[in-house]
Amino acid sequence: DAKTTQPNSMESNEEEPVHLPCNHSTISGTDYIHWYRQLPSQGPEYVIHGLTSNVNNRMASLAIAEDRKSSTLILHRATLRDAAVYYCIPGSGNTGKLIFGQGTTLQVKP
Amino acid sequence: EAQVTQNPRYLITVTGKKLTVTCSQNMNHEYMSWYRQDPGLGLRQIYYSMNVEVTDKGDVPEGYKVSRKEKRNFPLILESPSPNQTSLYFCASSFGTGNVYEQYFGPGTRLTVT
């Protein structure tokens, strides 16, 4: 299983962009990079995933380094509702298992 | 509304009293899974199921059983609960596409075993 490194916590101001980094230097060539988040008192929520190229959806953008050893989740305009723990998860293999590390706790200030 | 539901949401029980936590999804997903979340340990997978009648162990299966008789339901059974099974439990479901699993999680069941 690939190991990930994320900052323990980050802060942002409301309506400003947020860049959440993740290092996954041991990722295998076929592993997708998933991002999930967990809002207080809720279950994890899927955010985005990608393999090699940058990805966008209605929630966020995912920028993947060319060597795939790191990625950055981009929230274009943070809202108070985006305050959560964000998990970077490389790969789920053929069992669908998501390995949740400690994640990054994002605080959004009004 | 597409969702994963769990019942009960909160449960306090005593050691040894069998209990079942139900999980149901209305998205026709083949894949379902159970996780437990503990402080400092994060979320760990207990069991998963690729489809009806197909189940397999995750990382922490001891003390738990599951069954998958219908596509929509994946109950978690604790035959003889012990205090170390006090935890927050999440059920998840997904379409499995290759090695990508966009998983939908339930709201959680907080279990306390005294």
Side-chain angles (χ1 to χ4, degrees):
Chain A
D1 297 327
K3 182 176 168 57
T4 60
T5 304
Q6 297 180 253
N8 287 333
S9 63
M10 293 184 64
E11 285 184 357
S12 172
N13 294 319
E14 198 175 10
E15 299 194 2
E16 289 186 355
V18 182
H19 291 234
L20 296 159
C22 179
N23 287 319
H24 33 75
S25 58
T26 60
I27 192 171
S28 77
T30 58
D31 281 344
Y32 280 76
I33 298 151
H34 307 81
W35 282 80
Y36 282 75
R37 71 180 185 181
Q38 188 172 18
L39 278 63
S41 301
Q42 294 189 26
E45 175 185 29
Y46 166 83
V47 177
I48 199 166
H49 74 272
L51 184 62
T52 55
S53 54
N54 295 345
V55 184
N56 301 294
N57 67 17
R58 63 175 179 80
M59 290 181 69
S61 295
L62 177 59
I64 302 171
E66 198 168 330
D67 64 6
R68 292 192 4 103
K69 293 183 177 181
S70 66
S71 61
T72 302
L73 180 72
I74 302 164
L75 306 179
H76 295 285
R77 289 183 67 194
T79 68
L80 296 177
R81 194 193 172 277
D82 291 322
V85 180
Y86 285 79
Y87 299 98
C88 161
I89 304 173
S92 56
N94 56 7
T95 69
K97 180 175 70 176
L98 298 173
I99 298 177
F100 289 83
Q102 296 307 306
T104 297
T105 299
L106 175 65
Q107 286 186 314
V108 180
K109 297 180 178 179
Chain B
E1 180 190 355
Q3 59 182 353
V4 177
T5 57
Q6 295 179 226
N7 282 293
R9 294 289 313 280
Y10 303 90
L11 179 59
I12 300 174
T13 189
V14 297
T15 298
K17 186 177 181 181
K18 181 180 178 179
L19 67 92
T20 299
V21 183
T22 65
C23 174
S24 183
Q25 50 91 7
N26 62 0
M27 295 168 280
N28 202 35
H29 285 164
E30 291 91 10
Y31 181 91
M32 297 186 75
S33 179
W34 277 101
Y35 291 82
R36 61 178 286 174
Q37 185 171 28
D38 302 290
L41 296 175
L43 284 101
R44 295 174 292 168
Q45 191 183 57
I46 303 170
Y47 268 95
Y48 66 95
S49 170
M50 290 291 193
N51 215 322
V52 175
E53 301 292 0
V54 180
T55 64
D56 212 339
K57 296 177 180 179
D59 291 329
V60 288
E62 293 76 22
Y64 305 95
K65 287 175 58 176
V66 293
S67 70
R68 187 92 183 272
K69 293 183 170 55
E70 308 164 280
K71 200 171 193 178
R72 63 182 294 130
N73 296 323
F74 190 44
L76 180 70
I77 303 156
L78 285 71
E79 294 268 1
S80 182
S82 63
N84 65 12
Q85 293 177 298
T86 292
S87 188
L88 180 58
Y89 291 86
F90 291 103
C91 179
S93 74
S94 169
F95 287 115
T97 307
N99 61 356
V100 177
Y101 294 81
E102 179 182 330
Q103 299 192 29
Y104 294 79
F105 284 78
T109 294
R110 186 166 293 282
L111 172 65
T112 302
V113 184
T114 62

